[in-house]
Amino acid sequence: NPYLQYFYETGRILARQRTSPTRAAEVAEAESDLLRRYADPRTVWDPQMLLVRLGASYSAAAAALAVDLHEGAGTHVVNVANHGALPGLPADAVVETTCRVGPSGAVPRPTAPLIEPVRGLASQVKDYERYAIVAAVCGDVRAARKALLTHPLCPDATVTGRLLDDLLASNAAWLPAFAS
């Protein structure tokens, strides 16, 4: 999983981010360019233009998923409630896993238990997600603080308050539950 680099190679990733644009900045620039191009009615759709954003395959995957949800039965990697698909994680945890998809929905295919240390990391991230959901939905600052403290990439408990204040201020438009 390419996301594991952020947890297991944090120093290398941070060093790269200090000298290079972030992935979010690269995607924002690519999307801005795409929107500018598509504003011209003479522009013809070109999947190669989406490769810059690494999104060309997403549209094909989404179309195949839509077909199978409507009339087929195919195998897709999607996010679903765990319900035992990944042993060791809560049943109601959302997991990204291989599923059989058809008109009745997505049914996860059971997998082997996660190996250590990945199981511990996955459990810690799921705890973070639970706190973050409560925080975002309820505007619960204590849950938000617990989410940050629980996240494996939390830099230090002593900076959590300042980090939370900065996150809430920077994202106030998208977090209306914290406005009161």
Side-chain angles (χ1 to χ4, degrees):
N1 182 322
Y3 291 109
L4 292 178
Q5 67 182 333
Y6 298 104
F7 300 108
Y8 295 131
E9 300 175 20
T10 309
R12 181 182 66 80
I13 297 299
L14 288 174
R16 185 180 74 210
Q17 288 183 345
R18 286 185 185 100
T19 60
S20 304
T22 64
R23 175 75 179 125
E26 290 173 349
V27 169
E29 184 178 334
E31 287 181 349
S32 177
D33 182 51
L34 285 170
L35 290 173
R36 184 184 50 72
R37 288 183 189 191
Y38 284 131
D40 181 348
R42 296 170 295 172
T43 299
V44 176
W45 183 76
D46 179 4
Q48 294 301 314
M49 291 185 344
L50 294 177
L51 289 177
V52 173
R53 191 193 179 285
L54 298 177
S57 60
Y58 288 123
S59 56
L65 178 64
V67 168
D68 284 341
L69 280 168
H70 178 48
E71 62 188 38
T75 301
H76 300 270
V77 176
V78 295
N79 292 333
V80 294
N82 185 31
H83 296 300
L86 287 174
L89 293 179
D92 63 343
V94 174
V95 297
E96 184 174 10
T97 190
T98 304
C99 295
R100 190 75 179 152
V101 176
S104 61
V107 178
R109 292 190 165 176
T111 62
L114 296 172
I115 61 168
E116 286 297 338
V118 176
R119 185 178 70 234
L121 175 63
S123 182
Q124 189 175 2
V125 169
K126 291 301 165 191
D127 288 345
Y128 152 76
E129 290 174 353
R130 287 179 188 279
Y131 286 128
I133 290 166
V134 169
V137 170
C138 301
D140 185 334
V141 176
R142 284 188 65 200
R145 186 169 282 108
K146 286 179 182 179
L148 288 175
L149 286 170
T150 304
H151 197 284
L153 295 177
C154 178
D156 186 319
T158 61
V159 300
T160 302
R162 288 191 318 267
L163 180 59
L164 179 57
D165 290 344
D166 185 44
L167 286 168
L168 292 176
S170 299
N171 297 285
W174 297 280
L175 297 171
F178 287 96
S180 57

